[in-house]
Amino acid sequence: MIRKAVFPAAGFGTRFLPATKASPKEMLPLVDKPLIQHGVEEACAAGVRDMIIVNGRGKYAIEDHFDISYELESLLRKKGEDAQLAAMRAITDMADFFYVRQNLPLGLGHAVLRAMDLVGEEPFAVVLSDDVIDSKVPVLRQLIDVYERYSADSVLAIERVPREQVSRYGIIKWKKIAEGVYEVLDMVEKPKPAKAPSDLAIIGRYILSPAIFPALAETRPGAGGEIQLTDAMRSLVARERVLGYEFEGVRYDAGNKLGFLMANIAFALKDPELGPGLRAFLAKERKK
Ligand code: G1P
């Protein structure tokens, strides 16, 4: 059973400035929902119930978003907007939310370590909400299925990336054990293309064993001077069964402006209300 998911959300969102100067990157909308809500809904759909959000200064909007807004609810009630009222309450009711602060910008590994006391001694998920994935089965569910089927300790979402892009990711050294399932032998964070052990990249969905916490506590700053989750996971592969799973789905890197725009267009095109109008607009633009 994977009951808890950790959402690192303390970054400054510098790639989206000025949009993120005063509001969190995680609240940028993917069509009509904040990025982080898409991640939380994916976790819910995978059976996760406790959402642990690692935030920092200036991130109050995230807590408010998942809380009840009495003023808004009373207004919607007065106006008889019952469907919207139910939709707003559903955001709060879908899970239990817990918050912990990452008070220093020391990296993804440090963010996950901040969740240690809230996770405790059980396997848990990590969701990086700027990796947006459009899939039939929620990617976390796909990972949990692999976790159970192969009695793994940890499972990482992976995807093949162009060689020239490996330096943006954690890259695994692998041994294939079934179609799409790889035993992770080693991994390296943001390698130069010439030094990369493969072109299989870690994408922002993980199932991790609680052994990651002592490993993180011992991890020294790595790539970019930050405490890297990849470096801590690397120290686990000798002791635990760490698998990589090539998930079904299309991923958008909504952590940069272009990927964010592409994710918005792809999701809006699939939206029954917005799709037809957007398609017509894009066809007109193409002719210009
Ligand atoms: C993080 C991880 C990296 C992973 C990537 C996936 O990097 O450190 O291993 O491949 O997410 O999106 P970041 O995107 O925070 O630089």
Side-chain angles (χ1 to χ4, degrees):
M1 272 291 279
I2 304 295
R3 303 186 308 151
K4 302 179 181 182
V6 174
F7 295 78
F12 288 113
T14 48
R15 287 191 208 145
F16 285 93
L17 285 170
T20 48
K21 187 178 174 201
S23 30
K25 170 179 81 168
E26 295 74 15
M27 292 302 292
L28 291 174
L30 179 52
V31 187
D32 56 359
K33 288 176 198 165
L35 279 175
I36 193 163
Q37 187 180 337
H38 285 270
V40 167
E41 287 182 358
E42 178 188 326
C44 278
V48 174
R49 283 296 161 260
D50 289 355
M51 308 298 160
I52 299 168
I53 298 176
V54 184
N55 60 14
R57 278 178 67 79
K59 300 275 186 165
Y60 299 113
I62 300 176
E63 294 186 39
D64 285 344
H65 183 72
F66 291 111
D67 200 353
I68 292 172
S69 168
Y70 290 102
E71 303 90 328
L72 179 62
E73 289 198 358
S74 92
L75 182 78
L76 293 173
R77 201 170 294 117
K78 238 186 261 163
K79 286 182 150 189
E81 301 276 6
D82 293 342
Q84 252 192 339
L85 180 63
M88 291 309 100
R89 183 51 79 94
I91 298 171
T92 303
D93 287 347
M94 72 179 143
D96 282 328
F97 295 90
F98 302 86
Y99 297 89
V100 60
R101 281 194 141 191
Q102 182 186 16
N103 44 15
L104 290 166
L106 297 181
L108 177 60
H110 180 252
V112 173
L113 183 56
R114 296 291 294 149
M116 177 169 74
D117 288 346
L118 289 169
V119 170
E121 277 298 312
E122 59 184 280
F124 64 102
V126 174
V127 176
L128 308 186
S129 53
D130 53 14
D131 274 329
V132 169
I133 304 170
D134 184 16
S135 62
K136 284 198 208 86
V137 177
V139 178
L140 266 193
R141 183 70 251 167
Q142 297 181 39
L143 297 191
I144 294 170
D145 289 344
V146 170
Y147 175 83
E148 288 169 352
R149 194 171 328 132
Y150 292 88
S151 303
D153 294 300
S154 297
V155 184
L156 322 177
I158 54 169
E159 182 179 83
R160 206 169 285 284
V161 297
R163 269 275 167 185
E164 66 276 10
Q165 289 178 14
V166 291
S167 57
R168 298 184 196 170
Y169 300 95
I171 301 292
I172 64 166
K173 179 178 178 191
W174 50 268
K175 191 176 108 194
K176 188 169 176 172
I177 56 176
E179 204 44 51
V181 185
Y182 302 84
E183 189 183 333
V184 179
L185 305 174
D186 199 0
M187 61 190 103
V188 43
E189 181 68 15
K190 300 194 170 58
K192 296 224 163 66
K195 292 233 169 112
S198 78
D199 58 356
L200 288 186
I202 302 167
I203 302 306
R205 302 289 187 281
Y206 312 73
I207 305 294
L208 296 174
S209 105
I212 196 69
F213 294 121
L216 279 168
E218 283 174 12
T219 300
R220 306 272 58 92
E226 296 186 339
I227 296 172
Q228 295 292 350
L229 182 59
T230 302
D231 294 341
M233 294 191 301
R234 178 176 203 209
S235 72
L236 292 186
V237 297
R239 289 180 272 143
E240 295 202 331
R241 187 164 164 81
V242 181
L243 300 183
Y245 180 61
E246 230 172 333
F247 56 91
E248 169 278 314
V250 179
R251 179 191 57 113
Y252 300 90
D253 179 2
N256 69 67
K257 286 181 197 168
L258 184 60
F260 175 76
L261 289 173
M262 293 195 293
N264 263 292
I265 290 170
F267 276 62
L269 282 173
K270 287 176 70 165
D271 185 291
E273 250 175 60
L274 303 172
L278 181 58
R279 197 161 288 116
F281 169 74
L282 291 174
K284 213 169 83 194
E285 283 297 297
R286 211 174 295 138
K287 288 197 193 117
K288 276 188 185 166

